């Protein structure tokens, strides 16, 4: 079965997002990854995927390594975190962009040490505010891309592997690339 985990953008959602987040333009609108100054390797288009359910953690608390079973994470995986935040808050509001959940720096460091290819989330960034861009850059430097604003993560199996396909737009010189992501379960 194929599950599209790409956020479907409506004109209203685009207008709301662009009114509340200065970067929500072509490259950072909806489901996208922060490529920073790197190229997306074509072999990243097909990866083993793993999704963790962290929906029991309030947005006010960081999502730490104690919330997931890191022994399941393997090199070159696409690791997703289902928080339910997009369903709760709705994409595009000021709150969506500023008060979203965030992964702890320790969890991010552990994922980078394991050599994951991608970190996927159903919220606006692995870190908030001034930590957002430097953390995305840190991940990109390690060959790991952060994919933001994924949808339908609740439909993916939790704690079990599946195959996930990622196809970004072929833009040059952008910090964000919109992409289509489909899980094969």
């Amino acid at each position: 079965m194929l599950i599209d985990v790409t956020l479907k953008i409506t004109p209203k959602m685009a207008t709301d997002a662009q009114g509340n987040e200065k970067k929500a333009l072509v490259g950072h609108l909806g489901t996208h990854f922060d490529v920073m100054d790197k190229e997306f390797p074509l072999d990243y288009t097909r990866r083993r995927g793993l999704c963790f359910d962290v929906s029991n953690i309030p947005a006010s608390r960081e999502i730490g390594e104690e919330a997931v079973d890191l022994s399941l994470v393997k090199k070159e995986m696409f690791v997703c975190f289902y928080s339910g935040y997009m369903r709760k808050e709705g994409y595009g509001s000021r709150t969506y962009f500023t008060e979203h959940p965030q992964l702890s720096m320790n969890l991010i460091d552990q994922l980078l040490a394991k050599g994951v290819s991608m970190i996927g989330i159903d919220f606006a960034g692995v870190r908030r505010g001034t930590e957002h861009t430097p953390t995305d850059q840190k991940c990109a430097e390690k060959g790991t891309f952060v994919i933001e604003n994924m949808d339908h993560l609740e439909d993916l199996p939790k704690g079990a592997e599946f195959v996930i396909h990622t196809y970004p737009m072929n833009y040059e010189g952008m910090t964000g690339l919109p992409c289509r992501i489909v899980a094969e379960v």
Side-chain angles (χ1 to χ4, degrees), residues 49-144:
L50 186 64
C51 188
F52 290 111
D53 185 343
V54 295
S55 61
N56 62 327
I57 300 172
S60 59
R61 271 193 37 226
E62 288 187 343
I63 299 163
E65 65 280 358
E66 70 284 347
V68 299
D69 184 354
L70 286 170
S71 71
L72 300 174
V73 177
K74 308 288 187 274
K75 184 177 177 66
E76 299 182 347
M77 273 188 150
F78 186 132
V79 180
C80 304
F81 294 88
Y82 165 63
S83 73
Y85 189 73
M86 185 181 296
R87 291 277 178 262
K88 179 183 167 227
E89 182 57 41
Y91 176 79
S93 71
R94 168 70 59 200
T95 301
Y96 180 83
F97 290 116
T98 60
E99 298 178 28
H100 59 80
Q102 54 184 356
L103 304 183
S104 73
M105 287 306 297
N106 191 41
L107 176 55
I108 293 167
D109 287 341
Q110 289 191 41
L111 293 169
L112 295 176
K114 287 187 166 275
V116 301
S117 297
M118 290 177 272
I119 299 170
I121 52 177
D122 63 349
F123 43 93
V126 292
R127 299 295 294 171
R128 292 185 212 120
T130 59
E131 294 181 340
H132 184 132
T133 300
T135 305
D136 287 347
Q137 186 67 51
K138 175 181 178 174
C139 291
E141 294 296 330
K142 299 281 188 178
T144 301

